[in-house]
Amino acid sequence: MRVTVRYHALLREKTGRDRDTFEIPLSSAKVSHVISAFVKTHPAFERLAAALNVAVNEEITIREASINDGDTIDLMPPFGGG
Amino acid sequence: MSFFTRQTIDAASLEREVASDSAGAIVTFIGTTRNTHAGKGVEHLEYEAHEIIANKMLSGMCDDAIRKYGLIKVALKHRLGRVDIGESSIVIAVSSAHRGAAFDGCRWLIDTLKTTIPIFKKEYYSDASEPVWVGPDGKPVVL
């Protein structure tokens, strides 16, 4: 399946991109597979990966959530509002 | 309606929004930009957000606070973009019949916002060292 991954704040800055498209070679995949694909492409994020926040189709979710072909996934650093 | 603005926030207008004849208390939290952080001089802050998700979640969070604390009304605005020293980055005003619920509800709102809403903060320092993204605990987010 193919998903679009959008980068925010620190991620956009450090990758120098606002999005990537990842091909996940599985028929049934989870958010954690997308994070692994992201870290493989951007290894500088290996240490921060566990602290990233994730949304699938604009709903914040967990690593175990299922993803589908065509989904849009937002990868976000720790929050800092207020 | 958006919870975000790039303009100065007028706290008094949020207080007017939550005013009610049945309210015995209005509590307002104003988060302001401090000129130091962890011993370093701060020059200004910059905020960005995932506005679509954040607006949806903030709306739910305000409804939750009303239910959880029996508040009458809640008004909240958060700045985006550059925020200079002394300016407000956030204002939360709540009204309730009695002061206890207003204090508690307002505290819950700012604490919940800090850890759950996709808003991102970058600190720029007065010594011109590299700006740093800061997490909910105030610690730098580093690779």
Side-chain angles (χ1 to χ4, degrees), chain A residues 12-13 47 58 79-80 82, chain B residues 47 56 78 119 122 136 143:
Chain A
R12 187 188 60 248
E13 240 177 48
R47 217 161 56 90
E58 298 181 336
F79 303 148
Chain B
Y47 286 93
K56 208 162 44 178
H78 199 295
I119 301 169
K122 196 175 185 183
L143 296 186

Side-chain angles (χ1 to χ4, degrees), chain A residues 2-82:
Chain A
R2 182 180 287 250
V3 294
T4 300
V5 179
R6 301 189 296 202
Y7 305 135
H8 298 267
L10 174 76
L11 282 86
R12 187 188 60 248
E13 240 177 48
K14 297 292 184 190
T15 60
R17 308 169 61 80
D18 72 350
R19 67 190 63 206
D20 275 319
T21 302
F22 289 107
E23 186 71 45
I24 309 290
L26 296 167
S27 54
S28 161
K30 295 178 176 179
V31 163
S32 55
H33 294 116
V34 177
I35 293 177
S36 299
F38 164 71
V39 171
K40 203 170 166 189
T41 307
H42 301 284
F45 282 89
E46 190 168 4
R47 217 161 56 90
L48 190 63
L52 296 178
N53 292 290
V54 186
V56 176
N57 300 331
E58 298 181 336
E59 294 282 347
I60 290 187
T61 190
I62 56 172
R63 301 289 192 272
E64 291 71 34
S66 297
I67 54 162
N68 295 300
D69 186 47
D71 279 352
T72 297
I73 290 151
D74 289 296
L75 285 189
M76 300 171 278
F79 303 148

Side-chain angles (χ1 to χ4, degrees), chain B residues 23-83:
Chain B
I26 292 175
V27 167
T28 305
F29 172 77
I30 304 177
T32 54
T33 303
R34 201 173 48 235
N35 64 1
T36 58
H37 180 225
K40 283 184 90 168
V42 174
E43 208 267 326
H44 71 275
L45 302 177
E46 270 186 26
Y47 286 93
E48 66 175 76
H50 190 312
E51 287 185 69
I52 293 172
I53 297 178
N55 272 314
K56 208 162 44 178
M57 291 183 73
L58 284 167
S59 177
M61 188 184 83
C62 291
D63 290 346
D64 287 349
I66 287 169
R67 270 195 302 273
K68 195 173 162 70
Y69 293 94
L71 303 178
I72 298 168
K73 289 182 194 172
V74 172
L76 184 157
K77 276 283 181 203
H78 199 295
R79 285 282 293 275
L80 292 180
R82 180 182 172 123
V83 182

